[in-house]
Amino acid sequence: QVQLVESGGGLVQAGGSLRLSCAASGTIFSINVMGWYRQVPGKQRELVAGITSRGRANYSDFVKGRFTISRDNAKNTVYLQMNSLKPEDSAVYYCSADVQQHALGDRNGYWGQGTQVTVSS
């Protein structure tokens, strides 16, 4: 199995910064795309940013210029540096990973348990 464990959430004032981390562990041959999503109560989970194993990143418009996604392939870890945080960024942030567990196996998607980010005004 594969586990994704997030850390780094918390409470911060508007304009502040937080850095989220997500480490994947278990039986892993390779990880293609890793990403961050967020969800608030009553709304669908939405993509924040994603990054390929080669480091190609994409961002949703609402975080461009403020958030930066990065990854350490040797550690199977993805990061999300969040700057200039706004109250509307408050949400549960989830890590995702597209994992191939064996050389000839299929890829499957996995989710972390989520970490709460709260931005006060």
Side-chain angles (χ1 to χ4, degrees):
Q1 263 294 6
V2 174
Q3 297 82 36
L4 301 181
V5 179
E6 300 119 332
S7 61
L11 174 64
V12 65
Q13 289 188 334
S17 298
L18 283 174
R19 188 188 193 215
L20 305 183
S21 300
C22 171
S25 63
T27 304
I28 298 172
F29 174 74
S30 68
I31 303 178
N32 184 13
V33 178
M34 300 187 82
W36 290 96
Y37 289 72
R38 69 187 189 187
Q39 189 171 24
V40 297
K43 292 191 176 181
Q44 287 190 335
R45 193 172 296 188
E46 60 183 1
L47 174 68
V48 175
I51 186 167
T52 69
S53 58
R54 295 188 176 186
R56 184 173 181 176
N58 68 289
Y59 299 91
S60 290
D61 287 344
F62 52 79
V63 302
K64 283 182 179 177
R66 300 188 298 124
F67 292 9
T68 301
I69 190 170
S70 61
R71 65 188 281 175
D72 183 334
N73 291 330
K75 296 181 179 179
N76 290 329
T77 299
V78 63
Y79 306 95
L80 185 69
Q81 178 66 44
M82 306 186 292
N83 299 328
S84 302
L85 283 161
K86 305 175 182 179
E88 52 263 43
D89 292 318
S90 297
V92 177
Y93 283 71
Y94 295 91
C95 168
S96 71
D98 185 30
V99 178
Q100 184 176 3
Q101 289 192 269
H102 306 284
L104 300 180
D106 294 331
R107 294 187 182 278
N108 291 290
Y110 293 88
W111 292 94
Q113 80 286 354
T115 185
Q116 178 70 48
V117 171
T118 302
V119 184
S120 63
S121 57

